[in-house]
Amino acid sequence: MKASDLFVRCLEQEGVEYIFGVPGEENADIMMSLLDSPIEFVVCRHEQGAAFIADIYGRLTGKPGVCLGTLGPGATNLLTGVADANMDRAPLIVLTGQGSTSRLHKESHQAMDVVSMFRPVVKWTTTIANADTIPEIIRKAFHLAQTEKPGAVHIELSEDIAKHRSLVSPLVVASTSQPEPNAGEIAKAAELLRSAEFPLILAGNGVLRARATDQLVALCEATGMPVANTFMGKGAIPQSHPNCLYTVGLSARDVVTLAIEEADVVLAIGYDLVEYHPKLWNRGRPKQVISIDALAAEVDAHFAPVVDIPGDITKSLEHLLSVIGDEVLVNREQFASYRETMQQEFEQYADDTGFPVKPQRILSDVRKALGPDDILLSDVGAHKMWIGRYYQCEGPNTCMISNGFCSMGFALPGAIGAKLSFPDRKALAICGDGGFMMNVQELETAVRLKLPMVILIWTDSQYGLIRWKQEAQFGKNSHIDFENPDFVKLAEAFGAIGKRVESADQLPGILAEALEADGPVVIDCPVNYDENMKLSRRLGEIPAATRSHWLKQTDLFSGCGSDSLEVISSFMEERSYQAGASICEEGVDGSEVFLLVDGEAEVQASGEDQAGPISLGPGACFGEMAILADQPRSATVVAGENGAQTLVLDGGVFREAVLKQPTIGMELLETLSKRLADKTA
Ligand code: CMP
């Protein structure tokens, strides 16, 4: 058999339904072999679009999505979508052509080392050097792409090898099972959960991949434990379930993060660190972590599980439940207020009639317009932050987000992948005007395939997320403005339907009509992003409780009662120092007290008696002596090699608080006298 025919037979054997791609000269033999195959080749308008379609097809079906491009520019165009799939654990096979092996050793048309280029963004990459290896290579590629943790695999076929002949046949496809969890570790996890005061579950994308929703719900119903999910873990537990604490990931100080702050034991299930840095929910590392995942836990200073249970997530949850039984570990009163606060927030602007439309209103209307099984695809931009926080799901895989690699331009092609995976479910892509234009060409693919899907553009003529981040960090913005084409006319030029929202109250009607259309509909919806900074400021207000919690962990304030802590924390402001920066200097008058929230600091006191610098870690408090004793700084304090994030309290305010509430002074006295004793020893 001709090698390209064998190649296509092997893909058929793996159950491939579609290949998404752009044909090229050097993969022409494969394209010819596909003419005699039941595999449908979906012609795309850019390789990046093809890779995103395959990415979503893989995530939704659990079967590898397949994308194809030629050598050189075809391969480089595929790269972003492939990296996205790999980082978000989507099974994906990427096929590229290559020039003849007789010309790859020299300067030659479009030739470059594509295998090396893909290496950092795939689980495995290879070229086919001998036609007889095709069955093994394709079997291995599909096996690797699908086994935990799933990801992308790249195969290259040179134009000359595609013409070779081979007598071998496709291999039989075998399924692999996940290892059983270790019973001893399950027992340890149960013990730790039983001894916890407030254990909480953090559910990630792995729960969805393992199809372990029922087991997770059974565990939290038996034990009462609440579940917070990551952006990609939406639907791990239904949003209507009273134990669902909704989504974490937007900010280190969101309502749900406060619940995590309160937890002493966190049971992380199918959690990928790339989604939500553990530093953001385990500041100062006070929590005991249990990890249940397909593989052993990733190493991170802020995520060091005391019990690590790799294996089949479904079985791990079943075993854990059978060991714990119906033992109630948490009462609903311990977390009900977090859920209620979030519910109030979801409702707050649900009927707002302001124009441009507030993000909260748009998402409320979208949630009402889509059924529980319909699929929302979020592109990357400011809208993604809103979707992450405000859009909740009843079931798994009903909100698809690019979260690890965070690639703009993902949602429009993603909606094509969703419709091809589940034709009976509605698909709605939310894009910013920036991301929409990055893969707008795939609108032609959607029109050609007659796919009923909706693209809702949140228009602000800016890179809105960058503006949000710049303003939060610098208080101003730089180079974020652009102009848009007329999106209604643009949609019509592609043969799609175009609609424009001109008042908030039009949106529900336009959405309902668009979701019933029999082809793609583009909706241009002006968005009011003044809400972005308001949300940042509001989330910035939340931490009074978090700050009290952190203060309580410090040596200095640990003796203070909750009233004192509330007073002190309400006056604190955040400040970051780069590695080596001086935070306070010996001999200089000081006016501030510092609480080290993250990173390290070093106390460097001069004087012959000093034993050497003293290292301070998260939770340490310093700079109080100059304020309370009304004398210059007793030592220099510099930020450690990872920098230092601090909460700063103005000394005047601190002293006033102590005067007004003498208990604060009394409570602090013990620690202070110890420090003074150390200093003068
Ligand atoms: P202050 O003197 O205001 O500024 C320097 C700070 O370094 C000081 O307050 C203390 O918070 C801290 N510091 C000085 N000596 C010690 C010590 N022996 N142990 C821990 N911290 C110290």
Side-chain angles (χ1 to χ4, degrees), residues 555-556 584-586 588 590-594 602-605 610 614 616 621-628 631-637 672 674-679:
D555 296 352
L556 187 60
C584 51
E585 274 178 58
E586 185 172 347
V588 173
S591 61
E592 290 167 327
V593 181
F594 301 85
E602 199 171 82
V603 181
Q604 304 167 340
Q610 294 303 317
I614 299 166
L616 304 178
C621 220
F622 56 91
E624 77 296 347
M625 287 164 74
I627 314 299
L628 291 166
Q631 61 185 24
R633 294 286 188 203
S634 61
T636 294
V637 184
L672 280 174
K674 193 170 169 301
R675 282 197 183 178
L676 282 168
D678 277 1
K679 177 82 189 132

Side-chain angles (χ1 to χ4, degrees), residues 292-310:
I292 289 184
D293 205 349
L295 303 182
E298 165 72 310
V299 173
D300 186 289
H302 293 83
F303 188 76
V306 284
V307 188
D308 188 4
I309 308 175

